[in-house]
Every structure is written in C-alpha cells, then in structure tokens.
C-alpha cells in the first residue's frame, strides 16, 4: 500500500517536471542564466572580436556612468518623459473610461475605435506620426489653419521629445482605459444610489465614489506606466534613425544601452552596467509609487 | 432636471466623438496617403480623398521591392510558431504549477514571479552572447526559441487552472485517463478562452517586436516587418507614399485578428489588469 502511494508520488513528480521541461529550459537558458551573466558582464570589459574575451574591471563600468555626459542627458530625457507621460496617460485613461461607462449608446463602437493604436505596432505608429509631423505635414497644416504656431517637430531639439510624448500618450492611454473599464464595472451600483440620496452631483460622485474605488487599479496602471515609459526605445530609435538626435534630444537610457552594447566596440560591459542601473531605478520608482499609494492588495 | 441631464449627455458624447476622431485621423491619413501618387504627397495638400486614386504604391512594395513579401512571410512564420509553442508550453507549465505535486514547485513559481520583474534590457545583452555562442544569431530559431515561453502567461494560466473545477479531472482519472491524457483531452479544450487571450497577445507581441529582431537579425532576407520597414524608410526616405502603403500592409493582419477575436482582447487585458 505504502509503496503504491510512493510510486504515485514519484510518477506525479516526473509528470510535473515533464510538463515544466520546455519552460524550465527557456527560463534557465534565456532568463535566469542571463541575469547572472549580466551581473558578470557589468564587472568586465568585453571584447567581441573573434572569440569573446573578458577583462575584470571591478566597479569601473559603474563609475564611468557618472562621467558620461550622454548618460546624464539620457537619464534626464527619460526622467522627463516618465514624469510627463505617466500622469497624462493615466488621467486620460480614467476620463475616457468614466465617459464610456456612463451608460452611453455606442459604447462598443467607441471601444473598438479607441483600441486601434494599442493593436498597431510601434514601428508603424512612429512612421505614421513622422509623416504627420513633417514640416509640411498634416499637423502643421492644421495648426496653421487655426492660427497656432507650427513647429519643426522632428528636427528641432527643443520639440522632438515632446512630439514623441504626445504620440505615446495618444497610443497607450486607451490600453489603460480598458483596464479601468473592467474595474469600473465592479463598483457596486448601491454606492452611487446612496450618494445620490445624499444629494451628490455627478462630479461629486465621480470624485468621492469612483476615484477612491479605482485606487488599486490606478496603482497598477501607474506601475505599468512607469515600467513601460522607462523602457522607451522603438519610438526614439525610429524617430532619430538610431542616433537619439537631433542633438541628443531623443536619446533615452535604453537607446543608449543599445548603442553601447551593439554599435560601439568594447563597451558591452558598460552597457550591461547601464542596463543594471536602469533595472534598479525602475525597481526603486515602483517601490516609491507603491508606498505612496499604500496599496498592498494589488495581487 | 431633465434638461440638465441631456446637456450632460451631450457633453459626454462630445468627449467620446472628439476622441474617436483624434484616434482615427492618423490611420485614415496614412491609409489615404498610401493611395496617393508622389506628386500629390509632395504638394502637401490635406485632402483625405486622393485626387488620383492609385494602387501603384502597393504594386511597388510587393513587386519591385523584392524583399517586402519575404519580410511579411518571416513575420507571419515567426509569430505563428512563437504563438503555438507558447500556448502549449505556458499552459503545461501553468497546469503543473497549479495541479501537480513535486519537489521544488514553490521555488520554480517564485523564480517565475521574479523573472516578471526584470526588464528585458538586462537579459538582452547576455542573450545576444548566448545566441552568438550557440550560432543562433541571425536565424529563425534565435528569434523563436528564446520567446517560446512567457512568464506572464505561465502565471496567468496557473491562476486559471487553480480556479478550474477539479471534479472533471477526477472523473477523467477514474475513467482511466493519465494526467497527460487528462490535460490534453479534458483540461486544454476547456481552457479555450484563456488560450485565445494568450494567443492574441503573444502573436501581437511577436509581430510588433522591434528590439529583439533589431539585435538578432542582420541579413535583410531574415528581417521581420518592423525592422524591414525601418530600413525601407531609410531607403525611400522621401517616398512617404511607399512607406505608408507598407505600413498599412503591416497593420492589416492585426486588424483582422482583432476583428475575429475582439472579445478576447478586452478579456485578456482585464485579466492582467484585474485583481
């Protein structure tokens, strides 16, 4: 009896491992292994010519970050980007979701329309916007038509990053809107009825019933937003043809990591150190955000 | 009272319609540009209906630009393979973590959760070196194998299977089916909605991915659409009519996918966004 039971547990264990085998293979070779490999790389100078060679340089890669002017510019651009895009896209997502949830006709139709940018690849979106941002393009024509100043969106260093920001707020807000919509549908109707009995206006109901109930979701959306915006790459790569220009104005941390790892010779270890620092910054930003929103029931 | 209500409604409709227009205009503008000839593109007129409607741009990218169809094939092939493998492997892993008992299960689960938090830029550089030493740079397997599982969806499938009614599996087991048989014949077919949501997001992720192919692929014959499109832009720098036509071809498969499976899209997002 006992051995039969034992046989069963052994068999189940084997089945468990069998089911996990493909996942474990990829997990170890391409995810967990590389994390340790990245730590190793960040302490070495890596030469890629012929056979890859490593030279131990201790903390030198990390120290170099502080002397690197382009790294400072990239960090500043990325920080500006995160601080402007995350609040804007979150707010826009709440407004759109609340509007869609107000029991309007054609809700489904609008939802389908709004979802289009989320489906479309960043490469295509960036090209479409570059076409519209053209000096002689649609956006300038419209601005001109309503007597607003026009800009050289792509080539003016003081504008280029804002052009990318506008595009990304436009393209990601609807994604978060869907998350908010799901959350809005879970708020009990009785709360609104009670507020109504107390004489609350529509705006008061929104501020005192809806917003507090959306706090856990907002926390999730802001964290996802922070993680996403810190990793800005595709748009600035395509926008600037890989350079981060004009005049480094669209240079982001990830674009800089890419350049050091794959475009420059002998700076792969430095790129790994930058990548690690980015991961730590994202982690810290996420922790701070969580502390602020005091929301532990997230998962 | 009634009048005030309808004013509020009108205001809300105003917001919805204005934002719908803001969303749609870039797409319509791109679509219309893809049917214009170069003269009209250069003139900078803002008419949405082309004066001289032409398929010329599409003909050029498919016939004269020989690599474009190849890029389309590469993207379709890689995204389809990645999606199928993910559906099987993530579900199998999720099922094992939810239902089977074996030593080390908790550790593996914690590792998967931890991996979710690591930004891909950290693993990208070592991945490049690993693929290099495997000789998989610039190859289909270099694009497919590292992405054939996804920690997010292993996690999602586990949550799905934890809440899955146990009785069905027990009944199947009493009927003499093995665990593996139960999984493939009973559990997986009943997991269709979760599988559909997963498939859509994995396919979209692979189809739209820019950074990975940019790093791994170097010969133009192996390029996927995002990378191909980017080099295409460099080559035809001021031929926005061609670039827009190529962009539209690139977008169409995802729109079709969306049209067929739209309810799973929304479900899938609420899955990851919910509690």
């Amino acid at each position: 009896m006992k051995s039969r039971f034992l046989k069963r547990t052994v068999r189940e264990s084997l089945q468990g491992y069998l089911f996990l085998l493909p996942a474990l293979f990829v997990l170890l070779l391409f995810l967990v292994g590389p994390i340790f490999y990245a730590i190793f790389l960040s302490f070495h100078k890596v030469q890629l010519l012929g056979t890859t060679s490593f030279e131990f340089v201790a903390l030198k890669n990390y120290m170099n970050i502080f002397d690197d002017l382009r790294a400072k510019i990239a960090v500043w651009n990325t920080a500006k980007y995160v601080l402007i895009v995350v609040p804007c896209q979150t707010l826009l997502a709440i407004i759109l979701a609340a509007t869609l949830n107000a029991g309007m006709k054609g809700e489904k139709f609008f939802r389908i329309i709004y979802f289009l940018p989320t489906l479309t690849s960043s490469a295509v979106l960036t090209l479409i916007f570059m076409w519209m941002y053209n000096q002689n393009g649609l956006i300038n024509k419209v601005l001109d038509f309503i007597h607003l100043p026009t800009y050289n969106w792509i080539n003016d260093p003081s504008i280029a990053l804002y052009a990318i920001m506008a595009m990304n707020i436009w393209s990601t807000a609807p994604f978060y809107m869907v998350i908010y919509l799901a959350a809005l549908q879970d708020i009990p109707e009785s709360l609104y009825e009670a507020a109504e009995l107390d004489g609350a206006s529509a705006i008061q109901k929104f501020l005192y019933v809806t917003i507090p109930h959306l706090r856990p979701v907002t926390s999730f959306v802001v964290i996802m937003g922070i993680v996403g915006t810190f990793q800005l790459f595709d748009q600035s790569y395509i926008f600037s043809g890989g350079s981060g220009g004009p005049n480094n104005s669209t240079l982001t941390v990830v674009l800089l990591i890419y350049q050091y790892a794959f475009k420059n010779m002998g700076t792969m270890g430095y790129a790994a150190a930058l990548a690690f620092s980015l991961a730590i910054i994202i982690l810290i930003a996420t922790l701070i955000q969580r502390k602020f929103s005091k929301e532990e029931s997230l998962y | 009272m009634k009048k005030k209500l309808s004013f509020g409604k009108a205001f809300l409709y105003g917001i919805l319609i204005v934002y719908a227009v803001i969303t749609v205009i870039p797409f319509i503008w791109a679509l219309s540009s893809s049917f214009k000839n170069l003269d009209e593109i250069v003139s900078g007129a803002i008419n949405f209906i082309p004066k001289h409607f032409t398929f010329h741009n599409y003909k050029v990218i498919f016939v004269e630009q020989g690599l474009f169809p190849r890029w389309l094939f590469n993207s379709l092939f890689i995204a389809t393979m990645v999606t199928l493998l993910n559906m099987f492997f993530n579900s199998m892993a999720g099922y094992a973590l939810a239902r089977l008992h074996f030593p080390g299960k908790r550790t593996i689960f914690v590792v998967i959760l931890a991996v979710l938090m690591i930004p891909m830029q950290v693993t990208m550089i070592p991945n490049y070196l690993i693929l290099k030493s495997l000789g998989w740079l610039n190859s289909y397997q270099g694009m497919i194998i590292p992405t054939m599982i996804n920690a997010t969806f292993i996690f999602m499938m586990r949550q799905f299977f934890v809440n899955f009614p146990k009785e069905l599996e027990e009944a199947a087991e009493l009927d003499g089916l093995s665990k593996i048989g139960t999984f493939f014949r009973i559990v997986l077919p009943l997991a269709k909605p979760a599988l559909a949501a997963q498939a859509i997001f994995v396919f979209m992720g692979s189809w739209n991915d820019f950074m990975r192919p940019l790093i791994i692929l170097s010969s133009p014959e192996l390029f996927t659409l995002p990378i191909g499109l980017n080099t295409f832009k460099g080559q035809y720098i001021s031929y926005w009519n061609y670039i827009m036509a190529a962009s539209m071809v690139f977008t169409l498969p995802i729109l079709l996918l969306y049209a067929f499976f739209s309810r799973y899209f929304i479900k899938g997002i609420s899955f990851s966004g919910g509690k």
Side-chain angles (χ1 to χ4, degrees):
Chain A
M1 190 68 202
K2 202 178 167 192
S3 81
R4 207 146 129 223
F5 178 76
L6 195 74
K7 222 170 129 188
R8 231 193 108 132
T9 40
V10 169
R11 203 177 63 201
E12 191 165 326
S13 295
L14 282 177
Q15 281 164 339
Y17 293 127
L18 190 72
F19 267 51
L20 272 168
L21 197 66
L24 281 180
F25 167 73
V26 177
L27 204 65
L28 291 177
L29 188 58
F30 294 108
L31 286 159
V32 178
I35 293 171
F36 292 100
Y37 199 180
I39 298 176
F40 169 84
L41 288 173
S42 73
F43 293 113
H44 287 77
K45 187 171 166 60
V46 185
Q47 284 299 351
L48 271 186
L49 292 168
T51 48
T52 318
S53 67
F54 307 99
E55 178 198 335
F56 184 70
V57 294
L59 284 171
K60 196 166 154 261
N61 285 330
Y62 288 94
M63 309 299 270
N64 283 348
I65 296 175
F66 296 96
D67 302 324
D68 183 353
L69 182 66
R70 295 192 81 218
K72 273 181 205 142
I73 295 172
V75 168
W76 171 237
N77 285 341
T78 307
K80 205 158 65 175
Y81 184 82
V82 173
L83 287 174
I84 294 178
V85 171
V86 173
C88 287
Q89 74 190 12
T90 309
L91 198 67
L92 185 59
I94 295 184
I95 293 172
L96 288 176
T99 314
L100 263 186
N101 201 43
M104 318 284 287
K105 279 206 187 92
E107 185 219 321
K108 235 183 167 166
F109 168 76
F110 286 113
R111 209 159 67 172
I112 289 173
I113 297 271
Y114 291 173
F115 212 61
L116 285 177
T118 305
L119 305 170
T120 314
S121 94
S122 53
V124 167
L125 288 181
T126 312
L127 287 177
I128 293 180
F129 270 76
M130 284 180 80
W131 167 226
M132 296 198 306
Y133 277 141
N134 216 311
Q135 272 230 287
N136 198 18
L138 184 65
I139 290 178
N140 276 346
K141 291 271 170 178
V142 171
L143 288 176
D144 196 43
F145 184 72
I146 51 178
H147 299 289
L148 284 172
T150 61
Y151 297 96
N152 187 350
W153 297 96
I154 297 168
N155 296 314
D156 181 348
S158 62
I159 298 294
L161 188 64
Y162 294 102
I164 297 180
M165 285 179 189
M167 173 180 111
N168 270 18
I169 292 167
W170 171 86
S171 71
T172 31
F175 174 79
Y176 295 122
M177 173 200 82
V178 176
I179 298 178
Y180 274 120
L181 263 179
L184 280 173
Q185 266 140 31
D186 289 343
I187 301 177
E189 196 54 43
S190 58
L191 286 174
Y192 289 107
E193 281 158 16
E196 223 158 285
L197 283 179
D198 290 341
S201 70
I203 291 174
Q204 280 171 325
K205 276 190 283 181
F206 181 69
L207 287 180
Y208 299 113
V209 181
T210 311
I211 295 282
H213 266 87
L214 289 180
R215 265 201 27 208
V217 187
T218 302
S219 190
F220 177 79
V221 166
V222 171
I223 288 176
M224 297 252 299
I226 291 174
V227 173
T229 45
F230 261 117
Q231 297 183 31
L232 176 68
F233 174 78
D234 306 4
Q235 292 84 344
S236 47
Y237 182 94
I238 298 170
F239 215 76
S240 66
S243 69
N247 197 17
N248 289 333
S249 61
T250 60
L251 185 68
T252 64
V253 176
V254 179
L255 182 52
L256 190 70
I257 293 171
Y258 169 81
Q259 290 178 350
Y260 279 127
F262 303 108
K263 290 289 141 202
N264 292 20
M265 285 294 188
T267 46
M268 201 173 239
Y270 178 57
L274 271 174
F276 235 90
S277 311
L278 174 72
I280 289 165
I281 293 175
I282 293 178
L283 189 71
I284 293 172
T286 315
L287 289 176
I288 293 174
Q289 199 285 326
R290 269 185 121 165
K291 189 130 191 127
F292 265 117
S293 66
K294 289 194 207 91
E295 196 51 74
E296 52 284 307
S297 60
L298 200 56
Y299 294 109
Chain B
M1 187 67 199
K2 215 173 174 185
K3 210 166 185 183
K4 207 175 150 199
L5 214 74
S6 65
F7 171 76
K9 277 243 149 130
F11 178 69
L12 291 184
Y13 272 118
I15 297 182
L16 288 180
I17 290 166
V18 167
Y19 201 76
V21 170
I22 292 175
T23 307
V24 178
I25 276 188
F27 292 101
I28 296 185
W29 184 237
L31 187 67
S32 113
S33 305
S34 75
F35 291 114
K36 289 176 180 169
N37 60 34
L38 192 63
D39 293 341
E40 202 173 341
I41 289 273
V42 175
S43 76
I46 46 170
N47 51 316
F48 277 81
I49 296 168
K51 277 187 213 117
H52 307 283
F53 188 91
T54 173
F55 279 109
H56 172 76
N57 306 322
Y58 289 92
K59 224 173 90 191
V60 168
I61 58 169
F62 273 107
V63 179
E64 286 168 36
Q65 226 299 341
L67 281 178
F68 191 81
R70 183 71 199 268
W71 297 336
L72 190 61
F73 168 80
N74 291 342
S75 273
L76 277 173
F77 176 70
I78 291 171
T80 308
M81 289 303 290
V82 168
T83 306
L84 289 176
L85 292 171
N86 264 284
M87 281 167 73
F88 272 104
F89 294 157
N90 294 341
S91 311
M92 281 161 63
Y95 185 73
L97 291 173
R99 278 286 199 267
L100 302 174
H101 300 280
F102 51 90
K105 184 167 105 166
R106 252 204 88 75
T107 318
I108 295 172
F109 186 55
V110 170
V111 168
I112 287 172
L113 285 183
V115 162
L116 282 175
M117 321 248 287
I118 303 290
M120 63 100 70
Q121 287 79 29
V122 172
T123 49
M124 202 72 244
I125 299 169
N127 260 327
Y128 174 86
L129 293 177
I130 292 169
L131 290 175
K132 184 176 182 243
S133 53
L134 288 171
W136 287 3
L137 283 179
N138 198 30
S139 72
Y140 286 131
Q141 67 266 36
M143 284 295 296
I144 293 169
I145 295 190
T147 52
M148 68 185 191
I149 65 141
N150 182 315
T152 311
F153 291 108
I154 294 179
F155 179 68
M156 194 186 98
M157 290 315 284
R158 178 194 174 268
Q159 303 306 87
F160 179 83
F161 288 129
V162 164
N163 297 318
F164 194 78
K166 244 192 179 119
E167 293 75 25
L168 278 172
E169 290 160 66
E170 281 161 1
E173 224 165 315
L174 281 180
D175 286 346
L177 269 178
S178 67
K179 279 270 184 223
I180 295 173
T182 312
F183 176 73
F184 283 107
R185 294 221 202 137
I186 311 288
V187 177
L188 214 47
L190 288 167
K192 266 186 204 141
L195 285 175
Q198 184 189 156
I200 288 164
F201 283 98
V202 172
F203 186 90
M204 228 171 74
S206 175
W207 180 260
N208 292 339
D209 191 10
F210 185 77
M211 199 178 190
R212 182 181 298 276
L214 181 71
I215 291 167
I216 294 176
L217 304 175
S218 51
S219 55
E221 300 80 57
L222 286 177
F223 280 176
T224 56
L225 275 172
I227 308 307
L229 203 59
N230 191 49
T231 55
F232 192 69
K233 182 200 121 209
Q235 197 180 340
Y236 293 95
I237 198 131
S238 46
Y239 290 87
W240 283 100
N241 47 338
Y242 299 159
I243 299 172
M244 286 303 116
S247 302
M248 289 299 102
V249 175
F250 185 177
T251 310
L252 196 68
I254 289 289
L255 289 189
L256 288 178
L257 194 72
Y258 181 56
F260 283 120
F261 299 106
S262 60
R263 53 204 175 106
Y264 295 120
F265 265 95
I266 307 284
K267 229 192 215 151
I269 292 187
S270 340
F271 246 114
S272 50
K275 298 113 269 183

